[in-house]
């Protein structure tokens, strides 16, 4: 059984994340989407909200599971019998830090990281930009799944 993990903060999940998750789910037996609970940065959505949105947008994919985690991703991998971490690479600017994390994770725990090039449609996309545009009235339809768009509009409207 080849089980991989797609880790992230997912604040909120975007169509770029979803693209990588769905493509990984076609390649491997099981994909765990691991949502980091304790972030150094503050989040717009609580971990429960981030998990709920991910559950909603992955509900048609039977081999995708959503979990939360604290601490090191390599500890999560070892505890859950995960073969590799799958990450999306958007641009060269992602590469340095992703490479560093991948090598650290391999050095510390022998956990492999596999990089998937993102769909060019989403190469510019990040949760931070989505939040910034949505906060100031930008239209982020098509950048996040409809359920996320609703939650985002509610949250920012209410704020
Ligand atoms: O969506 P993000 O915020 O870019 O995701 C980054 C994430 C959560 C994948 C990364 O920060 C991570 O794996 N954090 C867990 C803590 C950890 O293992 N740190 C050491 C990485 S070498």
């Amino acid at each position: 059984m080849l089980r991989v993990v797609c880790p992230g903060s997912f604040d909120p999940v975007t169509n770029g994340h979803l693209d990588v998750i769905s493509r990984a789910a076609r390649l491997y037996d099981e994909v765990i989407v691991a949502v980091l609970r304790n972030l150094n940065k503050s989040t717009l959505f609580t971990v429960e909200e981030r998990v709920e949105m991910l559950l909603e947008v992955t509900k048609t994919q039977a081999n995708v599971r959503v979990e939360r985690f604290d601490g090191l991703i390599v500890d999560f991998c070892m505890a859950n019998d995960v073969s590799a971490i799958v990450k999306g690479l958007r641009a060269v600017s992602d590469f340095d830090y992703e490479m560093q994390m991948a090598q650290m994770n391999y050095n510390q725990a022998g956990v492999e990281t596999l990089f998937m090039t993102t769909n060019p449609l989403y190469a510019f996309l990040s949760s931070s930009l989505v939040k910034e545009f949505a906060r100031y009235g930008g239209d982020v339809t098509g950048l996040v799944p409809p359920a996320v768009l609703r939650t985002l509009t509610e949250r920012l409207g209410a704020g």
Side-chain angles (χ1 to χ4, degrees):
M1 160 96 150
L2 269 181
R3 180 183 291 126
V4 296
V5 66
C6 290
S9 37
F10 303 105
D11 185 45
V13 57
T14 68
N15 284 343
H17 293 127
L18 205 49
D19 176 61
V20 171
I21 294 166
S22 314
R23 285 159 64 201
R26 288 200 289 273
L27 290 172
Y28 300 101
D29 299 312
E30 186 171 60
V31 175
I32 306 179
V33 181
V35 185
L36 184 59
R37 187 199 314 249
N38 288 331
L39 296 162
N40 295 330
K41 52 191 177 186
S42 62
T43 54
L44 178 62
F45 297 104
T46 64
V47 70
E48 288 77 17
E49 291 168 330
R50 287 180 274 139
V51 165
E52 199 179 312
M53 285 185 271
L54 275 159
L55 285 170
E56 172 65 26
V57 302
T58 59
K59 68 183 178 195
T60 55
Q61 298 176 74
N63 64 336
V64 176
R65 248 167 70 194
V66 183
E67 304 279 349
R68 62 198 71 187
F69 79 104
D70 285 309
L72 295 174
I73 189 61
V74 290
D75 289 335
F76 180 88
C77 290
M78 287 185 289
N80 290 279
D81 195 22
V82 166
S83 307
I85 298 168
V86 173
K87 288 282 197 81
L89 270 189
R90 287 170 297 196
V92 186
S93 49
D94 281 343
F95 186 75
D96 280 348
Y97 186 51
E98 289 297 341
M99 175 95 158
Q100 198 181 358
M101 283 199 285
Q103 290 178 336
M104 185 71 171
N105 287 334
Y106 186 77
N107 170 276
Q108 292 290 301
V111 172
E112 299 283 3
T113 300
L114 306 173
F115 292 116
M116 189 175 270
T117 53
T118 55
N119 184 326
L121 279 178
Y122 306 125
F124 59 90
L125 190 51
S126 70
S127 299
S128 315
L129 280 183
V130 163
K131 284 181 285 190
E132 191 166 330
F133 271 76
R135 180 170 286 126
Y136 296 109
D139 182 5
V140 296
T141 312
L143 303 181
V144 293
V148 174
L149 184 65
R150 276 196 301 278
T151 311
L152 196 56
T153 308
E154 276 165 26
R155 172 60 44 88
L156 294 173

